Amino acid sequence: LNAQWRQTNGPFDYNVRSLALCGSKIFAGTDVLGLYSSSNDGSNWTLVRNGIDVWALACNDSTIFAGTSFGLYISSDTGVTWTQINNVFASLPVISFAINGSNVFAGTGGGGMFLSNDNGSHWSAVTNGLTGNTILSIAASGNNVFASTNQGLFLSSDNGNSWSSINIGLTNSLVRTIVVSGSSVFIGNDDGVFLSTNNGGNWIAVNTGLTN
């Protein structure tokens, strides 16, 4: 593939930390200015929520989840209005999400993992067996949920009720990102890209062609 890239017309001047596609809209979260949306593939951007620094975004139908340094914001009307969720996230940075059907997983920086079964109205902690309280990345596929923390990589096969370590074959257990494609699970750490085809039972490096 001969992919071509071009710079969009904004947002400018600040770091874009997260992106999410929600219907026909693209949302971009920045580290200073707030949250922007575009309805024309990035040709123009509109500020939809200012005064927040956005670490992570996720979309479930018309509901958007925005993780910030000061908790979680939810919009149920594709970004028109926003509500801050204060019951469990008031003092916690929310830095990662995964959506699996009706289940929404939210990872925090210092408070562990939380799960909502009702699109964000109620949340409960799901940390049994999960060591490390900073959740760097989450990915979900079928019955499996993968999570990386500041203490390694973990798998839950029961919707977050319990977790087990899956670090065999990894040369660096600080996993920064997780992607699931069919039966293949890819992770990225400071040593490159690793692949597992057995739900994290073991990992092999797949870095041929990648530059440092």
Side-chain angles (χ1 to χ4, degrees):
L1 295 177
N2 295 315
Q4 301 293 319
W5 293 87
R6 61 180 176 85
Q7 186 174 8
T8 63
N9 185 30
F12 295 119
D13 299 327
Y14 296 97
N15 296 320
V16 175
R17 287 176 172 163
S18 53
L19 295 168
L21 180 63
C22 193
S24 60
K25 287 186 177 181
I26 304 169
F27 289 86
T30 72
D31 61 347
V32 176
L33 284 180
L35 182 61
Y36 289 79
S37 72
S38 174
S39 299
N40 54 9
D41 294 328
S43 295
N44 303 98
W45 294 87
T46 301
L47 182 65
V48 295
R49 188 68 170 82
N50 63 3
I52 58 174
D53 59 330
V54 182
W55 285 97
L57 291 169
C59 183
N60 193 18
D61 295 325
S62 62
T63 302
I64 307 166
F65 302 87
T68 78
S69 292
F70 300 98
L72 174 65
Y73 288 79
I74 297 179
S75 172
S76 58
D77 51 16
T78 322
V80 177
T81 59
W82 294 85
T83 301
Q84 185 177 13
I85 305 302
N86 291 316
N87 52 351
V88 293
F89 297 107
S91 60
L92 289 173
V94 177
I95 60 175
S96 56
F97 291 112
I99 294 177
N100 192 21
S102 60
N103 300 313
V104 183
F105 292 87
T108 70
M113 177 93 75
F114 292 84
L115 168 65
S116 174
N117 303 118
D118 54 11
N119 222 28
S121 295
H122 302 88
W123 296 86
S124 58
V126 283
T127 57
N128 181 29
L130 190 67
T131 60
N133 56 15
T134 295
I135 313 300
L136 301 171
S137 183
I138 319 167
S141 178
N143 294 323
N144 296 320
V145 184
F146 301 87
S148 62
T149 80
N150 54 317
Q151 294 188 19
L153 184 62
F154 296 84
L155 166 67
S156 175
S157 298
D158 56 9
N159 209 39
N161 289 315
S162 61
W163 298 87
S164 56
S165 175
I166 52 169
N167 293 285
I168 296 175
L170 293 180
T171 55
N172 186 328
S173 61
L174 188 62
V175 173
R176 301 187 182 277
T177 188
I178 312 167
V179 174
V180 181
S181 177
S183 60
S184 299
V185 184
F186 297 87
I187 65 92
N189 61 22
D190 289 350
D191 292 336
V193 179
F194 290 76
L195 165 67
S196 176
T197 56
N198 58 0
N199 289 325
N202 54 55
W203 299 89
I204 58 171
V206 285
N207 294 301
T208 302
L210 295 179
T211 57
N212 291 331

